[in-house]
Amino acid sequence: MAYACQLARRGRSAAPNPQVGAVIVYQNQIIGAGWHRRAGGPHAEVEALQSVSPDHQAWLPKATMYVTLEPCNHQGRTGPCTEALIQAKIPEIHIGTTDPNPEVAGNGAERLRANGMKVTVGLWEEECCRLIAPFVAYQVAQRPYVLLKYAVSADGYIGIKNGRQEKISSGASQYLVHKLRTEYDGILIGTNTAINDDPELTARKYLGESPVRIILDRHGRLSQQLRIFDGKVKTLIFTCQALKHEAVEYVRINQEDWGISRILSELHSRGIFRLMVEGGAALLQSFIDADLWDEALLIRSRHQLGRGILAPTLISPVAHIDRIGSDLLEAYFRDEKATKVNS
């Protein structure tokens, strides 16, 4: 199942479908493996079955499949995976997690059991649920999957109060952030960050497509001389004002409707599947307070600022910590609740 999860992570192009991986084993030997590569293409289970060589086809009736998500039992752009598994006569299937859609959940597993297969559910469930979290946010919650990304000094500050941009993270971390941007559909900041930092918000340090730039400018304070008006990347600016500029698209929202939920709903309707929030402390904290975030990546520097703007407060334990260059990368997930931790 660990390998199935590893394969599933390759399937970001399957959006808005979930990332799924599948592995077929016979006598402790992997004879087939696959993942859902793209929306509308074969699902992971079918990919795995098709990868089995002709010499090993006879082993399928004695093999075991490990799949990260419950096989579908309905006709979509592809046929039901349950039918493919039944025809392959695989006798045993281990499922990471059930389908989150209440109209589907459990149907696939029950169909397989009704055809004499041994089915277990819940193997590596936490990891498998993480894999489909973007799908759950987009299809069930009807909003983008939200990643909060910010750098913090060793003494807990996110920046300097005088508006001067302060480089906190290392060059290695900045390169990683640009790589991460290529994996997201949109990147969002607030008015103050746009004014103070004048960022490009592109993936220029990594080979890949830059996300849609999204800026919140409720009161129309942004100078049109900023780099976000350079026309290099599709740019949306949310505002309550009547504004125009040929290089950007203004999305006007009435003052009484302004809020994170409304903005996320609009981004969902525009096909923004994954959203990275790179704003200042106030904007990041507003997402946390509204409970409208899924994952947070905190880049903790070894350098101290001594003073400044305190980092947001997360109500989740650290899920895991990695090191990149001189920095620590701390990952948090909204679904892991704990006592308040001041980051």
Side-chain angles (χ1 to χ4, degrees), residues 299-331:
I299 303 172
R300 192 177 295 279
S301 169
R302 65 182 180 182
H303 301 297
Q304 297 193 18
L305 293 181
R307 60 187 176 83
I309 303 169
L310 286 172
T313 299
L314 288 167
I315 311 176
S316 292
V318 180
H320 57 82
I321 300 176
D322 296 306
R323 182 176 291 280
I324 179 167
S326 59
D327 299 330
L328 294 178
L329 301 181
E330 301 176 6

Side-chain angles (χ1 to χ4, degrees), residues 11-267:
R12 286 184 177 270
S13 297
N17 290 350
Q19 294 174 252
V20 184
V23 175
I24 303 172
V25 177
Y26 174 71
Q27 293 186 349
N28 295 321
Q29 175 184 347
I30 293 176
I31 62 171
W35 68 94
H36 190 22
R37 298 171 185 265
R38 60 178 178 81
H43 289 187
E45 300 93 323
V46 174
E47 286 272 356
L49 289 170
Q50 291 177 347
S51 74
V52 178
S53 70
D55 293 341
H56 296 161
Q57 290 288 328
W59 294 351
L60 287 176
K62 298 179 181 179
T64 301
M65 174 175 279
Y66 296 82
V67 61
T68 58
L69 180 65
E70 178 182 13
C72 63
N73 190 41
H74 59 278
Q75 179 71 44
R77 282 188 280 182
T78 62
C81 292
T82 51
E83 188 60 36
L85 295 172
I86 292 167
Q87 295 205 1
K89 300 180 179 178
I90 294 182
E92 185 173 350
I93 298 177
H94 295 278
I95 297 170
T97 185
T98 55
D99 193 308
N101 186 337
E103 296 181 359
V104 178
N107 292 343
E110 286 307 310
R111 173 82 190 284
L112 297 175
R113 289 190 182 105
N115 280 268
M117 298 182 184
K118 180 182 178 181
V119 179
T120 61
V121 180
L123 182 63
W124 272 49
E125 186 169 22
E126 182 177 332
E127 181 66 21
C128 293
C129 285
R130 288 264 164 76
L131 286 168
I132 63 169
F135 169 75
V136 173
Y138 193 78
Q139 298 289 6
V140 180
Q142 296 285 291
R143 63 168 176 80
Y145 179 85
V146 175
L147 168 73
L148 309 179
K149 193 284 298 178
Y150 54 103
V152 182
S153 66
D155 48 356
Y157 295 104
I158 196 172
I160 301 296
K161 288 185 178 179
N162 62 11
R164 175 170 54 88
Q165 185 178 13
E166 188 75 24
K167 290 290 185 184
I168 297 175
S169 57
S170 66
S173 293
Q174 292 167 27
Y175 178 82
L176 174 66
V177 168
H178 280 244
K179 177 181 181 297
L180 196 61
R181 285 177 179 178
T182 67
E183 300 173 0
Y184 279 73
D185 306 295
I187 180 170
L188 183 148
I189 62 171
T191 309
N192 289 335
T193 298
I195 293 172
N196 295 334
D197 298 351
D198 190 16
E200 287 187 52
L201 299 179
T202 62
R204 62 193 178 279
K205 294 183 180 179
Y206 188 82
L207 183 62
E209 187 174 348
S210 294
V212 176
R213 299 184 292 200
I214 303 157
I215 300 90
L216 307 186
D217 186 28
R218 189 194 314 198
H219 303 296
R221 294 167 49 208
L222 295 180
S223 164
Q224 295 184 348
Q225 302 305 311
L226 294 171
R227 285 187 284 190
I228 55 173
F229 290 91
D230 60 16
K232 292 181 179 179
V233 180
K234 182 177 180 179
T235 303
L236 304 177
I237 299 180
F238 283 81
T239 184
C240 295
Q241 312 304 313
L243 301 169
K244 289 183 179 181
H245 191 280
E246 60 183 12
V248 306
E249 179 183 352
Y250 282 101
V251 182
R252 191 174 181 184
I253 295 179
N254 293 332
Q255 180 70 37
E256 57 271 22
D257 295 331
W258 185 271
I260 293 174
S261 294
R262 176 69 178 83
I263 290 162
L264 290 180
S265 177
E266 179 67 27
L267 292 175

